[in-house]
Amino acid sequence: MNFKPYYPLLIITSLFYSTQLIAESQTTNISNLIAPIKQPIIAYFDKNGVFNKYAVKNGYYRVLLERNTDGLYLVQDFYQSNNKPQSSPFWEAIPAKLFSFESSDVDGSITLYREDGTIISKFVNKDGDVIDEQEYYPNGQIGSSYKLTEDGFTTIEFWYASGAKATKYILDADEKLVSSKAWKEDGTETEDFKGVSEKVYALLDHDFQKD
């Protein structure tokens, strides 16, 4: 499943140029490491997330785990190369979206994994929008956090791969900047908020794009 963090767009459009919505997934007793060979494959995708009828080298495949009494489909994505999960199981209501690799077509809580099993990101969608998201470095350290609150305020934070806090800023319901802070990796506060944000995001985004 493709996932593009929402906060970089906010940095560019809302920051430099100018109820608690935590969706709950439908519950079921499942494992994140379900053996795909026992489940029917319903779709293949290439490395860019484009749907294919047949397996594609270095791509992904999607398996149908179950369909509940409400007609929802429980599916999960796997790496073609090693059969390891690329996503946690997630529910889909619309049959046509079973063949979409875009995270915006899914509601609920989802975790995405790298090919080696480490976590890329965890996020929660509601009505196709990200309302809670964390992105991770390969070493397991959290790299970013995005949270939308009941009052419409958004808190966005970045960390260095070492675990040191890099930036934190808050936007109001109109996406106007309320407050911002930035730190060098040694913990010293700096006025270069834009530079630090772009530096840390570039590291995270570059790593994500490799998957």
Side-chain angles (χ1 to χ4, degrees):
M1 177 184 298
N2 289 329
F3 174 69
K4 297 298 180 185
Y6 178 57
Y7 53 77
L9 180 62
L10 292 176
I11 292 176
I12 296 172
T13 60
S14 298
L15 183 57
F16 297 129
Y17 296 107
S18 56
T19 246
Q20 184 167 340
L21 299 176
I22 301 300
E24 297 181 356
S25 294
Q26 304 240 357
T27 58
T28 188
N29 184 21
I30 54 179
S31 166
N32 283 350
L33 299 176
I34 295 172
I37 195 171
K38 297 180 181 179
Q39 310 294 338
I41 296 175
I42 60 172
Y44 295 96
F45 303 92
D46 66 17
K47 63 180 181 180
N48 297 314
V50 177
F51 170 74
N52 278 265
K53 293 182 179 180
Y54 307 102
V56 181
K57 183 178 180 181
N58 298 322
Y60 315 93
Y61 61 92
R62 177 166 294 170
V63 300
L64 176 64
L65 303 178
E66 69 172 85
R67 189 179 185 188
N68 68 12
T69 56
D70 294 323
L72 298 178
Y73 302 88
L74 183 66
V75 298
Q76 185 174 15
D77 296 334
F78 294 83
Y79 286 97
Q80 188 71 49
S81 60
N82 60 10
N83 297 323
K84 289 186 177 181
Q86 192 268 349
S87 75
S88 59
F90 58 93
W91 293 97
E92 183 56 75
I94 302 175
K97 291 185 177 181
L98 293 172
F99 309 102
S100 169
F101 209 62
E102 296 302 318
S103 59
S104 59
D105 285 332
V106 177
D107 273 5
S109 302
I110 306 169
T111 299
L112 298 184
Y113 304 93
R114 297 182 179 85
E115 202 164 356
D116 63 4
T118 57
I119 294 175
I120 299 174
S121 64
K122 297 179 180 180
F123 62 98
V124 179
N125 280 2
K126 184 177 179 63
D127 299 326
D129 294 324
V130 178
I131 59 173
D132 190 297
E133 182 265 335
Q134 299 84 43
E135 195 172 355
Y136 296 84
Y137 288 103
N139 65 3
Q141 168 62 43
I142 188 171
S144 66
S145 174
Y146 169 95
K147 289 185 180 296
L148 182 64
T149 61
E150 286 183 348
D151 53 10
F153 278 57
T154 303
T155 299
I156 302 169
E157 299 176 272
F158 285 92
W159 288 263
Y160 294 98
S162 63
K165 179 69 71 67
T167 64
K168 178 179 181 178
Y169 66 99
I170 298 175
L171 304 175
D172 66 17
D174 296 320
E175 297 186 355
K176 294 180 179 179
L177 184 65
V178 175
S179 64
S180 65
K181 285 187 177 182
W183 297 268
K184 297 179 181 179
E185 197 163 3
D186 62 6
T188 304
E189 193 166 349
T190 175
E191 297 297 323
D192 188 18
F193 176 82
K194 182 176 183 293
V196 172
S197 294
E198 291 180 343
K199 176 183 177 181
V200 177
Y201 170 67
L203 294 174
L204 283 165
D205 191 54
H206 174 70
D207 180 75
F208 180 80
Q209 293 294 338
K210 290 191 298 184
D211 293 275

